Amino acid sequence: MKKILFRADGNASIGAGHIMRCLSIGEAARELGLECVYVTADPSFERVIQDRGFSCTVMNTLYSDMNSEWTVLDSVLNKYQPDAVFIDSYHVTPDYLKRLGTYGKTIYLDDVLAFAYPVDVLINYNIYADRRDYEALYSREHAAMPRLLLGTRYVPLRKEFQRSEIPPVRARMEYVLVSVGGADPERMALKFLNSFIQDKELAGRCQFHFILNSLEPDREEIREIAARHSWIFLHENVRCMSELMLKCDAAISAAGSTLYELSACGVPAITYVLADNQIPGALGFAERGIMVNAGDCRTKPDFLAGVCRELKLLAADAPRRKEMSRKGRQTADGIGAERIVREVKDGQNF
């Protein structure tokens, strides 16, 4: 059986996105008969990976200094001898990728165009991915361009997001999903919660369903506040995210991979930026009329008031929500992970 090794990290500083999209690809690869193993710097997501049925090697190294992990990684690579390695990290260097290439085929998941990555296959599934940007980058650095898999056809969503039927958009907006990412570094869950309670037009008008991830820093305070308000619901350890999304009429979400999940489920959303790498995605979704971009929560004055205002505008405009839902469904169809594996598998002849 051919083997793929995934090298990715997740923790309280960088969130869960790198790990979760690699898990989606791994699940698709497993269904296509490939063996998958995972390697991480620290144990933050070891249990999550194991719960999905994969082995996970924790190196106990520093995720932000990948060049220093080679003493450990070399033995891991020699142990597993993978046919291909997927790398998903902002902390790779050209030397790291070149050295990794001596062990087998290399596939890199990118969304920042930091440098001309010396890999065999490069994937950028984001809504703003443009081949011309890569052609200019590799030409400027006089480097050989890898095979490119670009655009939302390659969004690596879990199989649960392969939906043939989506509930129709309701005239009244009753259920609102709130997602703040894997780690919530800006403590947005608590800020949103207090803002909704203080807004007289929103408080009690809708049910707000908050997703609390394992790294949420304000978990206990949020639980205490929610217990006092019957219209606030908390969801922890969600096993089937698509089911929860499909029950909601709208969502508020940071501009990460959750936007593609919401799109696949046809849920109109207000998105916002909490990290620099999210800026292009927030702009891309807004420009196409799929999401409302509320701006950067770190710097925008009256950000929370703006989100509440946009939410009330969406509640009053069912035709707009219907059109956002339609455009979202056209953006993500849920089978991007399978496309990635099939194209990498066929292109690399393994």
Side-chain angles (χ1 to χ4, degrees):
M1 180 184 291
K2 298 296 185 178
K3 186 179 301 179
I4 295 175
L5 185 145
F6 290 88
R7 174 67 191 91
D9 293 308
N11 53 51
S13 298
I14 60 175
H18 299 290
I19 292 289
M20 300 312 293
R21 62 188 184 184
C22 282
L23 282 171
S24 295
I25 297 170
E27 289 175 340
R30 183 167 55 189
E31 288 199 0
L32 292 173
L34 301 175
E35 181 182 354
C36 300
V37 296
Y38 289 76
V39 181
T40 63
D42 62 61
S44 299
F45 281 86
E46 180 181 16
R47 179 61 64 84
V48 172
I49 293 169
Q50 291 173 340
D51 286 348
R52 296 286 188 91
F54 298 106
S55 66
C56 178
T57 298
V58 178
M59 297 187 293
N60 294 309
T61 55
L62 185 62
Y63 79 93
S64 58
D65 184 12
M66 296 182 73
N67 284 329
S68 68
E69 71 187 30
W70 272 107
T71 301
V72 183
L73 183 59
D74 181 73
S75 63
V76 174
L77 291 166
N78 285 324
K79 172 185 175 182
Y80 286 113
Q81 296 186 350
D83 298 282
V85 180
F86 274 77
I87 314 98
D88 191 351
S89 171
Y90 295 143
H91 299 283
V92 293
T93 64
D95 288 342
Y96 181 96
L97 292 174
K98 288 176 182 176
R99 183 170 178 177
L100 197 60
T102 64
Y103 290 86
K105 302 297 183 181
T106 51
I107 302 98
Y108 183 67
L109 281 83
D110 179 46
D111 53 19
V112 294
L113 289 88
F115 55 87
Y117 309 96
V119 295
D120 296 291
V121 181
L122 189 147
I123 302 164
N124 186 339
Y125 62 78
N126 287 285
I127 197 167
Y128 54 83
D130 191 327
R131 184 180 182 87
R132 292 170 295 182
D133 292 333
Y134 287 99
E135 289 174 344
L137 176 65
Y138 279 83
S139 175
R140 188 166 57 248
E141 298 191 19
H142 305 288
M145 193 163 68
R147 184 181 180 196
L148 299 178
L149 304 181
L150 305 180
T152 58
R153 278 175 47 81
Y154 299 102
V155 176
L157 301 181
R158 299 187 298 281
K159 192 172 183 179
E160 66 179 271
F161 291 98
Q162 297 177 19
R163 297 280 177 173
S164 58
E165 295 185 7
I166 298 296
V169 173
R170 291 179 290 213
R172 182 182 176 189
M173 195 176 80
E174 299 182 50
Y175 307 100
V176 179
L177 187 72
V178 183
S179 172
V180 295
D184 195 9
E186 300 296 327
R187 329 267 309 243
M188 294 310 300
L190 183 59
K191 293 176 183 177
F192 281 136
L193 181 59
N194 286 325
S195 293
F196 300 150
I197 292 171
Q198 294 165 12
D199 191 302
K200 294 181 180 179
E201 293 182 57
L202 289 177
R205 174 179 176 175
C206 303
Q207 289 185 10
F208 287 91
H209 293 260
F210 283 75
I211 300 170
L212 294 189
N213 290 298
S214 59
L215 302 177
E216 171 56 53
D218 299 310
R219 180 185 304 273
E220 294 307 318
E221 185 174 357
I222 290 171
R223 284 174 174 168
E224 292 175 5
I225 295 173
R228 301 195 294 268
H229 300 277
S230 61
W231 44 276
I232 300 293
F233 296 82
L234 306 182
H235 301 269
E236 305 179 52
N237 303 314
V238 179
R239 289 292 180 182
C240 187
M241 188 64 68
S242 62
E243 288 187 4
L244 178 57
M245 288 182 174
L246 288 168
K247 292 177 182 177
C248 291
D249 302 300
I252 297 168
S253 173
S257 57
T258 302
L259 295 190
Y260 297 96
E261 297 176 351
L262 291 166
S263 293
C265 291
V267 182
I270 297 169
T271 188
Y272 65 94
V273 169
L274 54 72
D276 290 348
N277 67 295
Q278 294 183 347
I279 295 173
L283 292 173
F285 273 93
E287 288 170 356
R288 290 161 179 78
I290 304 169
M291 310 282 179
V292 175
N293 181 10
D296 195 323
C297 69
R298 303 168 299 178
T299 59
K300 186 178 180 179
D302 299 323
F303 168 78
L304 292 167
V307 170
C308 291
R309 181 172 59 253
E310 294 291 351
L311 193 59
K312 286 179 278 192
L313 289 172
L314 275 184
D317 196 344
R320 184 186 181 193
R321 285 187 278 116
K322 184 176 181 180
E323 182 64 7
M324 292 168 69
S325 175
R326 182 187 68 80
K327 290 180 177 179
R329 285 280 285 155
Q330 291 178 341
T331 300
D333 61 10
I335 59 175
E338 181 180 337
R339 285 195 186 98
I340 288 173
V341 177
R342 288 189 182 280
E343 295 214 23
V344 169
K345 182 173 179 287
D346 294 343
Q348 303 305 316
N349 297 316
F350 70 83

